[in-house]
Amino acid sequence: MYEAFWREVGDRGATVIRGWQVMSYFSDAAALCWFLEPELEREVRRLHRVVGNAVDDGYHLVVGTGATQLYQAAMYALSSSARGDQRQPVPVVSPAPYYSSYPPQTDLLLSDLYRWAGDANKFTGDECIELVCSPNNPDGAIREAVVRSAGAKAIHDLVYYWPQHTPITGRAAHDIMLFTLSKITGHAGTRLGWALVKDREVARKMVYFVDRSTIGVSKESQLRATKILGVVSDAYEVVPPPPAGDGSAVAVPRLFDFARRRMEERWRILRATVAASGTFSLPEETSGYCNFAKQNLTACPAFAWLRCEKEGVEDCAKLLAGHKIVARGGEQFGGDARCVRINMLDRDNVFNLLVQRLSAIN
């Protein structure tokens, strides 16, 4: 979906990297996160202040190869701190429906430090690591930690907490907060994420994990992300350029405005299509005051949590597959197989085809 925006931005979003640049492993050998490019850190902190979605003062910034690596790094840091003489892995939980990649990512390394333990709502133990995704993938719900035991520690996955998807109601200030470039600007292939971490020792262990697994993070990705994030913030902070030669104002593309318009239109179309079908249902629409936009906004999640209400249908993904619609089944998220996750961020022609095919199901 974001391709159209970046085509409009044109060369202002281009990054030139010369053959002699960023050749070293190190960005700042004296820094806690020694492979983090200082320019990237400045742009990340700047964007959070522009949007107002997270506190960054007093937080350490750790960069990773997407939020995926940082999720692993955070689990390593929390479980190695908590373990002591404990022999059993620390349980990792998340309320269902949870992001479908949490279970395989947690158990990928077969670590003795932590192990996937399922739905947080069903957890009855004391010590655990809870993954709090808000807005939630797959259903867009705003969430808080549900495990209240003294031994519970939380990792807040806030990759969708941006104004194109949800009202920005305040600055998040959790112990560990994960973000990623792809969910802000669409640059999934750049593989660049970051964590805001309150505790220095936890941040140090996360840096150690990234160091031992990939010896840092691609400098090319960091430089591209620096440029991209700078373009986003500039549109909301920098004084607009002077008028063009004909006296007309020069429009500066604004990412969040573009994405919000697209998402609102897509959700309007999808809700109308679902309502007319009588076969499916969606979660109720929610709204709230957005401190960034200075107005009330409806939530426009990146995914639609679609439920099949047709009698006799127990597998919604299978039903949709029969109509040439690919969707991830609800059981992969620890939920109901009558639900599926639908991607709302594809190109316009793909979204239009989705709506057309959904309309044909009765």
Side-chain angles (χ1 to χ4, degrees):
M1 186 187 78
Y2 291 93
E3 282 182 356
F5 174 83
W6 291 107
R7 287 182 185 277
E8 183 181 355
V9 169
D11 289 345
R12 282 174 290 182
T15 304
V16 176
I17 303 173
R18 294 171 177 83
W20 50 265
Q21 287 183 284
V22 292
M23 293 175 66
S24 173
Y25 289 121
F26 296 93
S27 297
D28 181 353
L32 176 67
C33 189
W34 50 266
F35 44 80
L36 168 61
E37 288 293 297
E39 295 84 359
L40 175 61
E41 179 170 12
R42 283 195 291 271
E43 289 298 344
V44 166
R45 293 184 183 275
R46 177 190 177 201
L47 183 62
H48 282 301
R49 291 167 185 170
V50 167
V51 174
N53 64 340
V55 173
D56 75 291
D57 287 336
Y59 280 78
H60 305 281
L61 200 152
V62 181
V63 68
T65 305
T68 302
Q69 185 180 37
L70 292 165
Y71 161 65
Q72 293 271 6
M75 287 193 298
Y76 167 79
L78 293 180
S79 58
S80 60
S81 300
R83 185 167 183 176
D85 295 330
Q86 176 184 320
R87 298 186 176 219
Q88 294 298 317
V90 175
V92 178
V93 297
S94 187
Y98 42 71
Y99 178 35
S100 59
S101 290
Y102 282 160
Q105 286 176 7
T106 302
D107 289 340
L108 177 65
L109 301 180
L110 302 177
S111 174
D112 288 337
L113 294 176
Y114 51 83
R115 193 66 50 85
W116 178 252
D119 188 352
N121 290 307
K122 299 178 181 178
F123 182 73
T124 58
D126 177 27
E127 186 178 56
C128 72
I129 297 172
E130 182 179 353
L131 308 174
V132 184
C133 187
S134 184
N136 188 45
N137 176 357
D139 62 359
I142 299 301
R143 287 185 161 179
E144 296 180 355
V146 300
V147 180
R148 300 299 181 186
S149 62
K153 298 181 180 180
I155 299 170
H156 282 78
D157 184 345
L158 304 183
V159 298
Y160 296 104
Y161 189 45
W162 297 97
Q164 64 266 54
H165 294 308
T166 189
I168 302 302
T169 57
R171 297 178 184 269
H174 307 290
D175 290 345
I176 301 176
M177 300 180 285
L178 305 185
F179 298 91
T180 185
L181 184 71
S182 63
K183 306 306 185 292
I184 310 169
T185 69
H187 291 87
T190 304
R191 304 309 307 132
L192 198 287
W194 61 89
L196 293 173
V197 185
K198 186 176 292 185
D199 184 83
R200 180 180 177 85
E201 182 61 15
V202 172
R204 186 193 66 79
K205 290 187 175 183
M206 291 178 67
V207 168
Y208 177 80
F209 181 93
V210 176
D211 173 17
R212 292 299 87 194
S213 57
T214 53
I215 319 180
V217 176
S218 166
K219 299 296 173 50
E220 286 80 5
S221 291
Q222 293 190 59
L223 292 185
R224 187 184 194 198
T226 299
K227 181 65 175 182
I228 292 298
L229 294 179
V231 169
V232 175
S233 292
D234 283 350
Y236 294 94
E237 278 197 333
V238 176
V239 176
D246 60 1
S248 62
V250 177
V252 178
R254 289 184 160 194
L255 178 87
F256 298 122
D257 297 29
F258 164 88
R260 164 57 61 171
R261 288 193 301 270
R262 289 294 182 94
M263 294 303 295
E264 285 182 345
E265 177 65 8
R266 288 184 176 195
W267 271 100
R268 183 190 66 77
I269 292 171
L270 182 65
R271 287 193 180 278
T273 301
V274 168
S277 74
T279 302
F280 303 101
S281 65
L282 290 164
E284 289 187 12
E285 186 176 82
T286 62
S287 63
Y289 185 78
C290 178
N291 295 331
F292 172 75
K294 302 294 189 292
Q295 60 179 311
N296 283 311
L297 295 178
T298 58
C300 296
F303 301 102
W305 190 235
L306 187 74
R307 181 182 176 88
C308 182
E309 304 291 356
K310 191 172 183 178
E311 187 175 351
V313 175
E314 299 295 329
D315 189 332
C316 190
K318 185 176 180 180
L319 172 68
L320 294 183
H323 292 268
K324 297 184 178 180
I325 299 174
V326 177
R328 198 173 295 186
E331 71 281 359
Q332 297 185 50
F333 302 88
D336 193 331
R338 287 173 293 182
C339 296
V340 295
R341 191 191 74 171
I342 298 286
N343 180 17
M344 296 290 286
L345 297 175
D346 217 317
R347 295 181 178 91
D348 287 343
N349 64 318
V350 177
F351 177 77
N352 293 337
L353 192 59
L354 164 68
V355 171
Q356 175 186 327
R357 292 179 179 176
L358 275 177
S359 301
I361 302 175
N362 50 43

